[in-house]
Amino acid sequence: MGKAIAVANQKGGVGKTTTSINLSSALASKNKKVLVIDTDPQGNTTSGFGVDKNNLDNTIYELFLGECSIEECIIKNVIEGVSLIPSNVNLAATEIELIGVDKKEFILKNEVDWVKDQYDYIIIDCPPSLNMLTINSMTTADSVLVPIQCEYYALEGLSQLIHTVNLVKERLNPKLDMEGIVFTMYDSRTNLSLQVVENVKSHLNQNIYKTLIPRNIRLAEAPSYGMPINMYDPKSAGAEAYMMLAEEIINK
Ligand SMILES: Nc1ncnc2c1ncn2[C@@H]1O[C@H](COP(=O)(O)OP(=O)(O)OP(=O)(O)O)[C@@H](O)[C@H]1O
Ligand SMILES: [Mg+2]
């Protein structure tokens, strides 16, 4: 039975998508079978794997509306070992489409249950908000991985995020755990990055991954080539960091 990890933080631009893509491909390179689910209407995980998001018959939107089966919307092997449920801007309408729908918090979970035993890891990239899409992701997940950008406002919104995880655990998904925190865009040349790490450690009683994802331009470039970092530049600091994170997650 695969482990489902939701990559969530309602703060925008903290590295959720970069982590979802590169953690998935790092896990796959360690012979794990991975399903990545893009639950963000921005579709950045979809395009980051080189999939043309505007030219798809079945996406997670059709899945939410019951217009396709999960098998029909999975794109197999976008890279070796990684399959993808894609997303695009259509998904932005889901919240409205689901008004009044019974048990809408469980739609994704009920679908993923059909395929969960085919994968070792299911990585779910969440949108930058605490909406019904994020709730569905957390209801599907076994744990929540929170990327935190090493910048001044890092702690802002985190208590709200943890409160949301606790609510989902209490009311929708009793097995949900905090996977932990991963620091992103760490800049070893500045004191600020170090201060943010220390600050978060002292304020949050959470598992914190030892791997610090460095600020690395190659990580920012890779998506425009539709490649994860271990294909685009396997020797880069970013590639090495995501391999180490994958190792930590496997050994947890
Ligand atoms: N470690 C890194 N080094 C350099 N650039 C990075 C790194 N991580 C992410 N970025 C860049 O920062 C921007 C935001 O990253 P990303 O899209 O992963 O964040 P996000 O949390 O998914 O954003 P959103 O909330 O919009 O979904 C992107 O342009 C990405 O390429
Ligand atoms: Mg994103």
Side-chain angles (χ1 to χ4, degrees):
M1 198 63 149
K3 177 175 189 182
I5 302 176
V7 182
N9 188 338
Q10 77 275 27
K11 217 167 160 48
V14 297
K16 295 180 287 296
T17 298
T18 304
T19 297
S20 298
I21 293 172
N22 295 307
L23 174 61
S24 298
S25 67
L27 287 166
S29 76
K30 294 176 185 296
N31 290 321
K32 302 296 178 191
K33 286 202 74 187
V34 183
L35 175 66
V36 193
I37 307 180
D38 192 349
T39 70
D40 186 345
Q42 296 181 97
N44 293 339
T45 292
T46 302
S47 52
F49 275 110
V51 172
D52 178 2
K53 62 187 171 191
N54 297 316
N55 199 5
L56 294 165
D57 290 332
N58 291 318
T59 67
I60 192 164
Y61 175 68
E62 282 75 18
L63 187 68
F64 267 111
L65 266 54
E67 292 175 358
C68 72
S69 70
I70 187 157
E71 301 280 8
E72 283 169 335
C73 70
I74 291 177
I75 305 175
K76 292 249 162 73
N77 292 311
V78 283
I79 62 164
E80 202 187 331
V82 178
S83 295
L84 168 77
I85 298 183
S87 163
N88 60 28
V89 70
N90 293 341
L91 187 65
T94 314
E95 193 98 23
I96 306 221
E97 302 272 4
L98 294 182
I99 287 174
V101 170
D102 200 28
K103 299 211 162 68
K104 59 185 168 191
E105 297 91 345
F106 295 94
I107 296 174
L108 187 61
K109 180 205 177 326
N110 290 340
E111 293 295 337
V112 169
D113 277 350
W114 291 107
V115 298
K116 217 175 167 187
D117 60 355
Q118 297 173 28
Y119 299 94
D120 298 305
Y121 289 93
I122 296 164
I123 306 294
I124 311 173
D125 185 23
C126 294
S129 73
L130 295 173
N131 59 12
M132 190 46 65
L133 296 167
T134 302
I135 301 300
N136 260 275
S137 301
M138 289 185 183
T139 305
T140 307
D142 298 291
S143 65
V144 179
L145 178 65
V146 182
I148 293 186
Q149 185 183 349
C150 294
E151 47 116 43
Y152 184 66
Y153 295 107
L155 273 167
E156 212 167 71
L158 276 180
S159 56
Q160 211 184 359
L161 177 63
I162 290 166
H163 178 62
T164 306
V165 173
N166 288 336
L167 274 186
V168 171
K169 186 180 169 80
E170 227 174 274
R171 300 186 188 166
L172 302 169
N173 179 11
K175 68 172 194 288
L176 186 65
D177 271 328
M178 276 293 287
E179 178 73 32
I181 284 165
V182 57
F183 290 102
T184 64
M185 298 180 236
Y186 185 86
D187 188 344
S188 56
R189 295 165 306 179
T190 67
N191 279 330
L192 180 62
S193 278
L194 190 62
Q195 279 165 15
V196 169
V197 170
E198 293 307 321
N199 196 16
V200 170
K201 277 184 182 164
S202 63
H203 280 87
L204 290 183
N205 183 23
Q206 300 289 345
N207 175 48
I208 292 177
Y209 282 97
K210 286 194 198 73
T211 305
L212 302 169
I213 307 298
R215 185 173 280 285
N216 177 218
I217 185 72
R218 308 300 269 172
L219 284 170
E221 289 168 359
S224 60
Y225 295 89
M227 281 185 224
I229 191 68
N230 60 352
M231 289 171 67
Y232 176 65
D233 188 352
K235 294 204 165 74
S236 62
E240 277 174 22
Y242 276 108
M243 289 301 254
M244 281 168 61
L245 181 65
E247 197 66 36
E248 273 196 83
I249 286 183
I250 290 169
N251 292 331
K252 197 181 173 215

